[in-house]
Amino acid sequence: YTILSKVHSDRNVYPSAGVLFVHVLEREYFKGEFPPYPKPGEISNDPITFNTNLMGYPDRPGWLRYIQRTPYSDGVLYGSPTVENVGKPTIIEITAYNRRTFETARHNLIINIMSAEDFPLPYQAEFFIRNMNVEEMLASEVLGDFLGAVKNVWQPERLNAINITSALDRGGRVPLPINDMKEGVYVMVGADVPFSSCLREVENPQNQLRCSQEMEPAITCDKKFRTQFHIDWCKISLVDNTKQVSTFQEVIRGEGILPDGGEYKPPSDTLKSRDYYSDFLITLAVPSAIALVLFLILAYIMCCRREGVEKRNMQTPDIQLVHHSAIQKSTKELRDMSKNREIAWPLSTLPVFHPVTGEIVPPLHTDSYDNTSTPLMQTQQ
């Protein structure tokens, strides 16, 4: 069901199109290509990471993925080759980095994709397993157990693992690091017989209602998976390729489709010179001239049209001017008289008791005190 190989220098592998391909990059193999551990007798456990890319390109092909959780675990290349890659050898450059010595080792993996006789399988089902991570599911024994459980439920003649995808690649969120929670993994399998009645139970109206209410549907064959795999039956996808009709339709011209305008004719290389003098007059000179005229009119009104004090007095009657002058003189005389007034404060405004001791305080001046020089408003301390 899956091709599992170990890494070697310039290794050739022959996966089939439409069948899951898994390639393990073992750290133990690369340890022999790095210097020994500094202390003799101690087991080397250097942190090693891998970088994989298509020869001549910075990344891998679109169908091939790579995962390595920690520098102390093996790396895994996995994916499902497509029919478009059949007959085209794909060379993957594998570079191992020793994080202790900063040395590298490079190997090539030549992938020769073969065509499968039974591809594509017409009936495909995708399961979402909640209690697994992708690297755990890629292990041959775990994947074999899952395919065995699916075969007992489905009873097909041919059953292949088509693809495995992490839930994080489908837009899932990273789980919380509590209770050993897993991110989840999608596993797609294909068979040559129609879906069994157990797999069809998820399409019942009762189960669809339970799924809409975020409740577990009632599936009779769930106990065959529950011992090892916790399947989310609300996320199962059943695809019957035998009933799919080609969606290609002939384009009918009508509303929303532009008419054929013929061949594209680019503009000529020789461009005519353009006179921007008229544009300058319209956009800059004319508004500036209008603003200047308005400024001159406003300046003439504000500066040259003032009547002045003399003209105002000439137009005012003499009797009114005399009255106005008399009022100003009287006001000035009263102000001068108020400045020369010098009297003492009345005794009623002086404190009678001491503010702290409460004793009777004598007046600030006696009867014989000359109060003619005492100001009306004393300075505040």
Side-chain angles (χ1 to χ4, degrees), residues 122-133:
Y123 303 97
Q124 299 176 3
E126 187 178 52
F127 300 86
F128 177 64
I129 305 174
R130 293 178 293 185
N131 65 328
M132 287 286 175
N133 290 334

Side-chain angles (χ1 to χ4, degrees), residues 112-352:
N112 303 281
I113 302 175
M114 310 296 292
S115 60
E117 297 179 356
D118 54 351
F119 178 81
L121 295 174
Y123 303 97
Q124 299 176 3
E126 187 178 52
F127 300 86
F128 177 64
I129 305 174
R130 293 178 293 185
N131 65 328
M132 287 286 175
N133 290 334
V134 61
E135 71 275 8
E136 298 174 348
M137 198 66 198
L138 290 173
S140 58
E141 59 276 6
V142 178
L143 184 59
D145 294 342
F146 177 76
L147 293 178
V150 174
K151 191 172 184 179
N152 292 334
V153 172
W154 202 338
Q155 298 296 330
E157 296 182 3
R158 295 192 306 271
L159 182 69
N160 287 339
I162 298 178
N163 199 5
I164 291 180
T165 309
S166 173
L168 301 181
D169 297 333
R170 297 285 190 90
R173 301 178 62 181
V174 179
L176 296 175
I178 55 176
N179 299 330
D180 195 20
M181 296 182 65
K182 305 294 183 179
E183 63 191 27
V185 61
Y186 289 89
V187 181
M188 178 178 288
V189 298
D192 56 346
V193 297
F195 304 107
S196 62
S197 58
C198 173
L199 299 179
R200 291 287 187 182
E201 291 179 0
V202 71
E203 299 178 351
N204 295 338
Q206 295 81 3
N207 289 331
Q208 291 293 324
L209 178 61
R210 294 176 65 89
C211 289
S212 62
Q213 297 175 353
E214 297 184 358
M215 300 174 60
E216 289 289 340
I219 306 297
T220 57
C221 59
D222 181 57
K223 59 183 179 181
K224 296 184 179 180
F225 297 91
R226 184 64 63 175
T227 56
Q228 188 177 359
F229 307 100
H230 295 174
I231 297 178
D232 189 348
W233 292 99
C234 292
K235 294 184 178 181
I236 189 173
S237 175
L238 305 178
V239 179
D240 187 356
N241 293 325
T242 60
K243 297 181 180 180
Q244 292 184 356
V245 183
S246 177
T247 59
F248 175 77
Q249 296 180 358
E250 184 181 358
V251 178
I252 302 176
R253 298 189 181 277
E255 295 182 358
I257 300 179
L258 298 177
D260 188 6
E263 297 181 358
Y264 172 69
K265 296 180 181 180
S268 176
D269 296 336
T270 59
L271 298 177
K272 297 180 180 180
S273 60
R274 182 178 176 183
D275 186 11
Y276 291 95
Y277 182 72
S278 59
D279 297 340
F280 169 75
L281 293 178
I282 296 175
T283 58
L284 185 62
V286 174
S288 300
I290 296 175
L292 180 60
V293 171
L294 294 177
F295 175 77
L296 294 176
I297 294 174
L298 182 62
Y300 173 76
I301 294 174
M302 298 295 296
C303 300
C304 302
R305 299 291 297 176
R306 295 186 62 184
E307 295 181 353
V309 179
E310 296 179 358
K311 186 176 181 181
R312 184 198 63 183
N313 294 338
M314 291 175 60
Q315 296 178 355
T316 304
D318 294 339
I319 186 65
Q320 188 175 354
L321 292 177
V322 173
H323 290 173
H324 179 70
S325 178
I327 292 173
Q328 284 186 341
K329 291 180 179 180
S330 301
T331 304
K332 183 178 180 181
E333 185 178 357
L334 291 174
R335 289 178 179 176
D336 294 339
M337 294 174 61
S338 64
K339 290 181 181 180
N340 297 328
R341 183 175 54 184
E342 296 178 356
I343 60 174
W345 283 18
L347 296 178
S348 60
T349 61
L350 298 177
V352 180

Side-chain angles (χ1 to χ4, degrees), residues 94-110:
I94 302 173
T95 306
Y97 295 89
N98 190 322
R99 297 302 178 181
R100 178 180 64 87
T101 61
F102 300 100
E103 294 188 353
T104 61
R106 178 168 294 178
H107 298 270
N108 293 333
L109 178 68
I110 304 175

Side-chain angles (χ1 to χ4, degrees), residues 349-362:
T349 61
L350 298 177
V352 180
F353 299 96
H354 194 276
V356 178
T357 61
E359 298 178 357
I360 299 177
V361 178

Side-chain angles (χ1 to χ4, degrees), residues 7-13 15 21 23 25 30 50-66 76-78 85 88-96 105-113:
V7 70
H8 293 282
S9 177
D10 295 342
R11 175 67 183 271
N12 285 271
V13 293
F21 165 73
H23 184 83
L25 307 180
F30 287 94
F50 301 95
N51 182 31
T52 59
N53 63 280
L54 184 64
M55 179 174 287
Y57 295 89
D59 203 355
R60 298 173 299 276
W63 62 270
L64 188 62
R65 296 176 179 174
Y66 168 75
V76 182
L77 284 169
Y78 67 99
N85 305 112
K88 301 177 183 179
T90 303
I91 302 177
I92 302 298
E93 293 180 343
I94 302 173
T95 306
R106 178 168 294 178
H107 298 270
N108 293 333
L109 178 68
I110 304 175
I111 303 177
N112 303 281
I113 302 175

